[in-house]
Amino acid sequence: MAQRSVVLVTGVGRRVGIGAGIAAQLARDGWDVATSHWAPYDERMPWGPQPDDPEHVHAGLRAAGARTVAVAADLADPAAPARLFETVEEALGAVTALVMCHCESVDSSILDTTVESFDRHMAVNARATWLLVAEFSRRLRVEPGTGRIVAITSDHYVHNLPYGASKGAMDRIVLAAARELQDQRITANVVNPGPVDTGWMDDAVREAALTPNPRGRLGTPQDTADLVAFLLSARGGWVNGQLLFSDGGWKA
């Protein structure tokens, strides 16, 4: 049996999340899947604690034939990315693809954002992305052209200042990797999935997101997972340095 390649998917704390959808699809596609999560973030969000979700996700990954490990990692800690890779390598072996779904996302505007909140958003969404990408590049030991990086972004910034600003910084970091890591022939792309209801929408937000979409529905984690799976495949190797919208035409 051929050895399965290893992908690290960050931000897989809830079974309904985009990260969980991506992890499940990659397991079905033949990847071994490592994930990271951080429960204190979920505890601060409207949906509240989801203590059983990481194991529920991993039961599904194992059922799909994947070796898997779940790692609790506070990516606001600058030492966390290196520790995360070390733990994953010990459990599963070298990582050949990095999919970043982690985020800090607390709604606030220009006039009411605190310095503490702004700094944490930048630490998790931007700085951790840089450190994860750098760690991935340093540790990559595969044939040039097979390494993959994908990050999940958003263009929600009005009344969402720290999230929007830090996601914008994240985009630039990942797109820079497409050129700066060219000696390793790593592809690096950003995916904007548009509005996906993973438990954060109320009825008003859901209606506002649904009305302008020409496809007549909201996005799902599976929609995003399908595109990410393609980008990580051999067939997706010619797509590089792109910010891709997978939103059903919501932004058209």
Side-chain angles (χ1 to χ4, degrees), residues 22-96:
I22 291 170
Q25 183 59 55
L26 295 177
R28 291 192 293 269
D29 285 352
W31 293 80
D32 286 333
V33 185
T35 67
S36 75
H37 61 278
W38 187 239
Y41 169 71
D42 292 315
E43 292 168 3
R44 292 187 285 109
M45 300 306 289
W47 50 78
Q50 310 285 322
D52 298 328
D53 277 21
E55 177 52 37
H56 182 276
V57 170
H58 280 264
L61 301 181
R62 289 190 293 269
R67 294 183 306 139
T68 183
V69 62
V71 184
D74 180 6
L75 293 175
D77 178 358
R83 289 199 302 262
L84 176 57
F85 269 91
E86 288 169 2
T87 302
V88 172
E89 287 183 352
E90 289 175 1
L92 302 180
V95 175
T96 59

Side-chain angles (χ1 to χ4, degrees), residues 108-137:
S108 61
S109 304
I110 290 173
L111 297 182
D112 60 15
T113 294
T114 66
V115 170
E116 178 185 24
S117 177
F118 188 89
D119 287 350
R120 183 168 182 84
H121 278 79
M122 284 295 179
V124 174
N125 297 345
R127 185 180 68 193
T129 295
W130 156 50
L131 293 172
L132 286 163
V133 167
E135 200 68 31
F136 174 72
S137 174

